Amino acid sequence: MPEIQETLTPMLRQYLEIKQQHQDAILFFRLGDFYEMFFEDAVKASQILEITLTSRNKNAEESVPLCGVPYHSASAYIRKLIEQGCKVAICEQVEDPKLAKGIVKREVTRVVTPGLLVETESLASHEANYLAAAVQNEGKIFLSLIDISTGEVLSGEYSEEVAAIEEMGKLRVRELLILHDQEKFSFVERLKTQIPNLLLSYSFEEPATSLLQSLSISESFIASFPSITPGLQKVLLRLLDYVQKTQRSLLNHLGEIQTIKVPQFMGIDARTFRHLELIHNQRGEGSRHTLFWVLNKTQTSMGARALKRWIHYPLVEIPLLKKRQEGIQELLDKVSLLQSIQSELQPVQDIERMLGKLAVGSVNARDLYGLASSLKGADELIKRLRPQLESELLRENFVNYPDLHLLFDSILQTLRTELPHSIREGGMIAEGVHSELDELRSISRDGKSVIAAMEEEERARTKISSLKIRYNKVFGYYIEITHAHKDNVPLDYIRKQTLTNAERFITPKLKEYENKVLGAEERIKALEYEIFCEIRAACAEKIELVRQAASAIALLDVMAALASCAREYQYVRPELCEEKLLDLKEARHPVLERIPLGERFIPNDLQIDEVNGPLFLITGPNMAGKSTVMRQAALIVLMAQIGSYVPAKEARIGVVDQIFSRIGASDDLSQGQSTFMVEMLETASILRAATEKSFVVLDEIGRGTSTYDGISIAWAIAEHLAKEVKCRALFATHYHELTELAGSIPGIKNFQIAVKEWNNQILFLRKLISGGASRSYGIEVARLAGFPEALLVRAREVLKQLEDIEGKALEGLNVSKPPEPQLGLFNFPYAELLQEISQISPDQMSPLEALNFLFKLKEKYS
């Protein structure tokens, strides 16, 4: 950054002084109707925004790079900079230029970053926008998150780096606040590679606990603050300090702190989120063809975000889940009420996001009118609903619904229906609200007729028929007379300007009227802004109550959406229990059945209980539907544990503490990890974390290495899950050799996806049946893909030879007894043998002693 030199103009010196305080941000410096950027900011911004880069003092030896954007359209430019990972510091004029003595005083009023956006046009309506803070200390990572646009606050602490990283990845954190000396910590380095375009910001000083008293924070936030651990309190204070310093605004829209890693939530790691495509699909198409896409029949943005939170954090407590089920059932039983709810929720705008704009002071008149009309519509709906609702959750939701009619009535009566975007240019306040404002408007509105009458009067007095009274911003009102009539100009006319063909004059009377009209227009704008600020302040005072209303509306929206899905898609209410079972009759895949695939979806039964299972070993060819059956089971369990009805004819589900999924092939080249290494790392993580109450879905484990290595790994994993972990698991494999496990290890059952061979072709029946497949049908699938016939013939010949060899190799393998350990490349199992050998001295032994020692070892270790 250039040094502040005396040779620079006062304005540029002021710019550089402010820039020194925000060196990591692009400074939007307000000059009149533009935000200007100078020096390196101008160069960088002009490239990103694709706007012209010019210079100040073009003819000087050291010209200053310059670019600018109109202030009224700045939000679009700011959004583009934010998308590229930039920070933007907005520097405004904080005094009236007319009253300024010297250069106008300017200050940074707000810093905009990816995690501090509140403008609805810059945010995805269905996505939360999280700013996170993390501190690694004493073997733990303390994590707090705030969505400043809605006031949502989350906190959790993690003993493993990977768990904290996965949480931030699931929630798609946009910006991370870290201690200035932790940038090189391993979890920060891993985060940079795991979350693209993550912006790192820095915290330098630890704020005192007294910070809470100095901030205007909601009562619900203050009440929940003592419930989190001291480590979380410290990291959350850092986050609040950062937000307050960058936004210079109230934080009274923050809600109750939600703890995100507690026993009441089912665990879902980031891998499972990706593999099951719960909210974002793996093809980069947003939420299309995901579970959220299927269930999202919400009518409001608030409801859509609440539904995503439910999917992120399924419940494990059956009483809470039954409350949700009963609410859905009531809405299903009252179809007309359900339809009325969804119809009347459609016009409700994003109340939560308006709270964020209120807090940072960026709300405009359109926002307030939308807030008021939304609150009024919701209030009328809820008043009608209250007497009709019977289920506990829905009744509880509206017991404390706030009475806000005085607020929204006041706003609707004060504001016009057609409103400008700007709050400084007038045109916001309705007629009859303020007597002085009405009088000033009358003066301004009647100006044209008064000027027209004055013009006729002057024409009659001067006998100049071409005399005109006109207005421009430079001279105000003036009388224009052509040179042909200059001899008839009255003596009381005062010359204002000479043109080529005419002269311009003013009169005392015209000047007096000009002052009156122009003064009225300025006073109208000032008075309207004052009234608007009063309304905005009234809304800010009720922000906690408005938040309660928004939460109640969002919950009603989600319940109605799930009821609508259950009704339209013929979902059934699952029976939930604590037993270790999963009993599904005619279960369907909730996503695939909503996609036209050109064939009828085949439902499947699945019965995992003490007799059948807990591990199903599923064999069958590619394309037969193994992954579909496993995914649909995992999705149905998750749906049940958010309280939703499920796609099946009958469903009895024992709640699970975690869902793990390992499906599909992927690599991580940025970390130097092959597809097989990623598969092994993910599987190892599952084996470490899974408990007896977990549900595990594994697909094609071991296929990334040689055949025998792959079979061996898959074999050992299946044994471990069945004998050690004892969780419910679906294990799909092409290694049909693994079907031998079912006969010797309790808890493993063979199932296959049925196929039929007909006229030398393979037909996929898509049906899960008992028993193991004896073939993988890979060559038949290759034929369907269009391989040349000669190649297929040769493949069958090779397959026959390999199967003969493999059969002999597997003969006699004892599956009921763990095999003897072999010598490994990196570990040696015979530690005792090595110890004995290390204790002898061969040089001091006779041949007979050496031979006797060798026989002793042979007898002991053979």
Side-chain angles (χ1 to χ4, degrees), residues 343-361:
S343 174
E344 293 184 54
L345 284 177
Q346 279 184 352
V348 174
Q349 297 183 22
D350 198 337
I351 297 172
E352 283 181 336
R353 287 255 158 94
M354 291 178 196
L355 299 180
K357 297 179 80 171
L358 264 173
V360 302

Side-chain angles (χ1 to χ4, degrees), residues 553-738:
I553 294 165
L555 186 141
L556 176 64
D557 197 8
V558 175
M559 297 292 285
L562 294 180
S564 181
C565 287
R567 178 172 176 267
E568 182 177 343
Y569 304 150
Q570 298 179 339
Y571 289 172
V572 66
R573 178 176 177 173
E575 180 186 341
L576 300 173
C577 64
E578 296 289 356
E579 298 173 45
K580 195 168 73 175
L581 59 81
L582 177 60
D583 189 358
L584 306 175
K585 298 289 189 295
E586 297 186 21
R588 312 178 319 262
H589 194 295
V591 180
L592 289 184
E593 73 170 351
R594 305 262 62 83
I595 304 173
L597 297 175
E599 63 176 286
R600 186 172 66 89
F601 190 90
I602 306 298
N604 274 293
D605 295 346
L606 191 66
Q607 187 176 7
I608 298 177
D609 51 31
E610 294 299 330
V611 178
N612 299 300
L615 188 146
F616 278 23
L617 193 67
I618 304 174
T619 50
N622 266 323
M623 294 178 60
K626 299 190 299 297
S627 295
T628 298
V629 168
M630 295 194 302
R631 277 192 171 102
Q632 79 183 34
L635 290 173
I636 286 173
V637 170
L638 186 140
M639 289 172 69
Q641 290 191 221
I642 69 172
S644 173
Y645 284 27
V646 300
K649 187 174 182 180
E650 294 179 22
R652 190 161 177 253
I653 300 170
V655 294
V656 306
D657 62 354
Q658 301 172 94
I659 291 179
F660 296 101
S661 169
R662 177 70 200 48
I663 297 174
S666 62
D667 55 31
D668 190 349
L669 298 180
S670 65
Q671 296 295 305
Q673 296 169 356
S674 66
T675 301
F676 182 64
M677 175 56 84
V678 169
E679 177 184 311
M680 292 298 97
L681 288 170
E682 293 184 357
T683 306
S685 176
I686 291 171
L687 295 176
R688 286 194 304 270
T691 71
E692 192 172 352
K693 291 198 70 175
S694 300
F695 183 60
V696 175
V697 172
L698 295 176
D699 188 22
E700 306 299 351
I701 297 298
R703 63 184 170 184
T705 184
S706 70
T707 302
Y708 290 125
D709 269 0
I711 291 175
S712 302
I713 291 169
W715 190 297
I717 291 171
E719 282 187 348
H720 181 80
L721 286 172
K723 296 168 67 175
E724 304 298 329
V725 182
K726 299 179 182 178
C727 64
R728 283 160 285 180
L730 301 179
F731 192 110
T733 182
H734 276 302
Y735 299 134
H736 52 266
E737 297 85 357
L738 268 62

Side-chain angles (χ1 to χ4, degrees), residues 693-818:
K693 291 198 70 175
S694 300
F695 183 60
V696 175
V697 172
L698 295 176
D699 188 22
E700 306 299 351
I701 297 298
R703 63 184 170 184
T705 184
S706 70
T707 302
Y708 290 125
D709 269 0
I711 291 175
S712 302
I713 291 169
W715 190 297
I717 291 171
E719 282 187 348
H720 181 80
L721 286 172
K723 296 168 67 175
E724 304 298 329
V725 182
K726 299 179 182 178
C727 64
R728 283 160 285 180
L730 301 179
F731 192 110
T733 182
H734 276 302
Y735 299 134
H736 52 266
E737 297 85 357
L738 268 62
T739 57
E740 298 293 328
L741 287 166
S744 56
I745 297 181
I748 297 182
K749 300 291 181 182
N750 282 331
F751 283 83
Q752 61 176 301
I753 303 297
V755 297
K756 184 174 183 180
E757 295 182 68
W758 180 71
N759 286 344
N760 294 320
Q761 295 187 21
I762 180 172
L763 301 178
F764 300 112
L765 303 182
R766 313 295 189 195
K767 195 72 177 175
L768 184 69
I769 61 173
S770 180
S774 59
R775 297 180 57 194
S776 293
Y777 298 98
I779 295 174
E780 282 71 15
V781 174
R783 182 188 59 76
L784 291 174
F787 275 40
E789 185 60 33
L791 187 153
L792 296 173
V793 170
R794 177 56 181 157
R796 291 189 185 99
E797 293 172 355
V798 174
L799 175 64
K800 180 66 172 64
Q801 297 175 30
L802 293 176
E803 285 178 338
D804 290 342
I805 297 170
E806 180 182 307
K808 294 175 182 178
L810 291 174
E811 282 181 8
L813 177 62
N814 187 349
V815 298
S816 62
K817 173 186 175 184

Side-chain angles (χ1 to χ4, degrees), residues 17 28 246 252 308 474 568 627 854:
E17 287 170 358
F28 267 39
T246 54
N252 56 347
K308 283 188 176 180
V474 177
E568 182 177 343
S627 295
L854 185 59

Side-chain angles (χ1 to χ4, degrees), residues 65 80 82 178 245 279 288 324 426 532 542 648 687 692 747 755 768:
K80 194 168 184 179
I82 295 301
I178 59 172
K245 286 178 178 176
I279 290 177
R288 182 173 171 79
R324 291 182 180 179
F532 171 79
K542 301 289 185 181
L687 295 176
E692 192 172 352
V755 297
L768 184 69

Side-chain angles (χ1 to χ4, degrees), residues 61 405 412 533 676 840:
E61 291 184 6
H405 79 275
L412 295 176
C533 288
F676 182 64
I840 67 169

